[in-house]
Amino acid sequence: MPDGGVTRKIGDCTLSLVQGDITQQKVDAIVNAANSRLIGGGGVDGAIRRAGGPAIEEECARIRAERGGCPTGTAVITTGGNLPARRVIHAVGPVWEGGKKGEPDLLASAYRASLTLAAQHRIRTIAFPSISTGVYGYPVAQAARLALRTVVNALRELSFDEVRFVLFSDADFKTYAEALREILSEAGSIKV
Ligand code: AR6
């Protein structure tokens, strides 16, 4: 893990939080915060496509042609192209519409689908951005708790060497670090 982050052991897996750029991460797979049409956008999606090169769009185009895209709450996998990561998992989180339109379930589902797909592809180390908290407007403190709870729960069934969250801003890094402290302090007494 890069310097300056937070790490915790969850069973055999290292769960880590770092501040940085996900395109630079030397892990088996990075996760993209994509849209359901798999059409390149801004934010982390734009950064991943720029750094990974045209091979990512070629595979997204094939997936669009075969199955029309990637519904919200699900994920697909492509090559990492020129990235240090060998694969990119494109996960689609919900657009925040106030929280009563199933957004929490859809966000949890995007994280679970990414981890399930990763495990199927024998990925041992994976890095996530903060899905849905940019253009899609999901409040970051709520998203952080949900993302971390979902990952901690998934690690009961799926095996990874490391799950890393890469937070672009220092403020988001601090929000995730605080959420992780809360979740792990609750973990002894209640179901996370
Ligand atoms: N590394 C890590 N995190 C990043 C990076 C980076 N290089 N760049 C931005 N972020 P967003 P969403 C953070 O908007 O809300 C796209 O257009 C960013 O600061 O990328 O799920 C897609 O095509 C924020 O914390 O994703 C979709 O249409 C987080 O990544 C739509 O945006 C997510 O912000 C998806 O919106």
Side-chain angles (χ1 to χ4, degrees):
M1 192 204 67
D3 291 339
V6 169
T7 59
R8 294 288 179 271
K9 271 293 199 196
I10 310 287
D12 292 336
C13 180
T14 301
L15 177 59
S16 57
L17 311 178
V18 298
Q19 197 223 318
D21 178 352
I22 202 165
T23 66
Q24 306 296 312
Q25 305 298 309
K26 294 184 182 66
V27 285
D28 294 339
I30 64 171
V31 177
N32 181 19
N35 58 67
S36 56
R37 290 168 303 144
L38 298 175
I39 304 276
V44 72
D45 191 1
I48 288 172
R49 285 165 180 266
R50 273 193 304 280
I56 295 178
E57 173 50 26
E58 280 163 27
E59 291 192 21
C60 284
R62 219 169 20 243
I63 295 166
R64 277 198 300 277
E66 280 167 11
R67 37 180 144 147
C70 179
T72 304
T74 71
V76 297
I77 191 165
T78 68
T79 177
N82 302 325
L83 291 165
R86 162 165 76 75
R87 311 302 292 267
V88 176
I89 293 175
H90 305 262
V92 182
V95 176
W96 179 258
E97 293 182 79
K100 301 225 162 82
K101 300 237 167 100
E103 295 94 327
D105 286 347
L106 289 166
L107 186 60
S109 173
Y111 280 99
R112 265 196 308 273
S114 301
L115 291 169
T116 303
L117 196 54
Q120 285 164 358
H121 286 263
R122 296 194 166 75
I123 282 157
R124 300 298 311 167
T125 55
I126 181 169
F128 283 97
S130 180
I131 298 171
S132 280
T133 67
V135 175
Y136 281 2
Y138 206 118
V140 64
Q142 292 179 50
R145 283 195 293 268
L146 187 66
L148 292 164
R149 280 204 172 93
T150 303
V151 168
V152 169
N153 279 331
L155 290 174
R156 294 173 176 167
E157 284 159 24
L158 301 173
S159 164
F160 294 96
D161 295 332
E162 184 182 353
V163 177
R164 185 182 303 170
F165 281 84
V166 182
L167 294 320
F168 206 42
S169 71
D170 192 47
D172 285 355
F173 171 77
K174 287 182 174 136
T175 302
Y176 270 71
E178 177 57 29
L180 184 60
R181 267 193 298 278
E182 275 174 33
I183 285 164
L184 295 182
S185 69
E186 290 164 4
S189 53
I190 59 167
K191 182 176 178 293
V192 287

